[in-house]
Amino acid sequence: MVKKILVSQPQPSSEKSPYFDIARKYGVELVFHPFIKVECLSAAEFRKQKVQVLDHTAIVFNSRHAIDHFFTLCKEMRVAIPDDMKYFGISETVALYIQKYVQYRKRKVFYAESGRLPDLVTVMAKHKAEKYLIPQSDVHSDEFHLMLEAKKLHHTECVMYRTVSNTFPADKKFDFDMVILFTPAGVDSFIHNVPDFKENGVKLACFGKATAKAIEEAGLPLELEAPSVKAPSMTGSLDLYLEEHNK
């Protein structure tokens, strides 16, 4: 029976989160602790890439992390973003988040309706004259780069933030029955943080095929994988699992 679960994400800000519904429904204890965190590069680190922000006419964001760290670095470097700068987002949610930092105007903010990279590139291709700057993490694939090259879009990719391990507090007891992981980097950090977890019979659950592959490649047994046909979300999969195993 699963009584205590570690969810490797920040604690939800709303009490309406499905996680809290699950805790009440099955009487399980949930603890939230992400095994990875995102941090901004320093201005000195960024300058080593020899990228000039103001040489570009449009900024492309694939996450809210990218937005936060772009504007944080610009502020630290005292780079004043001109009013006519254009912004492109991977989704409407990301595009709307830009207004946290700049006045939102439809004529200068564009996004992919589907939230998919190919569609974002299609939107960008309608503005071929732009010089695109793409802030990204130190861990990224070449997928976006290859799409932009295929469309012959003028672009510069730069690293503005990185993913680092987030240590589990040494003063807290690791007495969980299940750990839910969400990224391959989170898997690596978890194994590094808690090397003896196998001895305690901890069950592993995960979201996403890449995360499942990382667990498999580490030679570890996977108890629960989401999404599934019956449950497209992690909370939905967990609900079904507990309904079956916590009788």
Side-chain angles (χ1 to χ4, degrees):
M1 180 177 285
V2 174
K3 295 181 179 179
K4 190 174 182 180
I5 303 172
L6 176 61
V7 182
S8 61
Q9 284 188 330
Q11 182 163 329
S13 57
S14 171
E15 286 297 321
K16 295 181 180 180
S17 167
Y19 280 112
F20 297 128
D21 293 336
I22 288 173
R24 287 187 289 268
K25 182 177 179 180
Y26 298 102
V28 296
E29 181 183 353
L30 296 178
V31 176
F32 296 88
H33 174 82
F35 281 101
I36 57 173
K37 59 184 178 181
V38 177
E39 65 178 25
C40 193
L41 265 63
S42 68
E45 289 173 316
F46 177 74
R47 288 192 182 102
K48 290 179 181 178
Q49 299 176 67
K50 301 187 184 305
V51 173
Q52 300 299 322
V53 173
L54 298 183
D55 284 349
H56 303 82
T57 60
I59 316 296
V60 184
F61 297 118
N62 60 12
S63 70
R64 288 186 289 185
H65 281 310
I67 295 171
D68 286 333
H69 297 305
F70 170 78
F71 286 103
T72 295
L73 263 179
C74 286
K75 183 178 181 180
E76 185 177 343
M77 296 186 297
R78 297 180 181 177
V79 174
I81 307 299
D83 290 337
D84 60 353
M85 181 70 78
K86 293 180 180 177
Y87 302 95
F88 290 74
I90 184 66
S91 67
E92 183 179 12
T93 301
V94 169
L96 287 171
Y97 189 72
I98 297 170
Q99 67 186 332
K100 178 180 177 181
Y101 297 96
V102 298
Q103 187 174 356
Y104 192 98
R105 296 193 188 97
K106 287 187 178 180
R107 63 179 174 81
K108 71 172 186 178
V109 180
F110 310 87
Y111 59 87
E113 294 282 354
S114 67
R116 297 173 62 249
L117 279 177
D119 294 325
L120 173 59
V121 174
T122 298
V123 173
M124 293 169 64
K126 295 176 181 177
H127 305 264
K128 276 189 173 289
E130 303 299 340
K131 296 179 180 179
Y132 293 104
L133 178 66
I134 305 171
Q136 55 192 5
S137 168
D138 61 331
V139 179
H140 57 270
S141 72
D142 290 332
E143 181 184 11
F144 197 18
H145 170 79
L146 294 173
M147 291 180 187
L148 296 172
E149 288 290 313
K151 292 289 186 181
K152 294 182 168 54
L153 296 177
H154 189 296
H155 68 282
T156 303
E157 298 157 56
C158 62
V159 174
M160 285 194 165
Y161 54 103
R162 59 181 159 235
T163 301
V164 297
S165 177
N166 188 29
T167 305
F168 188 78
D171 60 342
K172 290 189 177 180
K173 190 176 181 180
F174 195 90
D175 55 353
F176 301 96
D177 301 306
M178 175 178 279
V179 174
I180 303 176
L181 301 163
F182 292 86
T183 64
V187 173
D188 292 340
S189 179
F190 167 66
I191 294 171
H192 176 74
N193 268 276
V194 196
D196 59 348
F197 77 93
K198 287 184 287 186
E199 300 169 13
N200 301 324
V202 178
K203 296 178 174 65
L204 295 183
C206 79
F207 186 85
K209 292 189 178 299
T211 311
K213 183 179 179 183
I215 292 173
E216 179 185 344
E217 290 178 345
L220 302 174
L222 181 58
E223 181 75 8
L224 172 64
E225 180 181 350
S228 66
V229 175
K230 291 183 178 180
S233 66
M234 188 69 247
T235 49
S237 297
L238 181 60
D239 191 352
L240 291 176
Y241 178 88
L242 293 176
E243 184 176 19
E244 181 180 350
H245 292 82
N246 277 22
K247 295 178 180 177

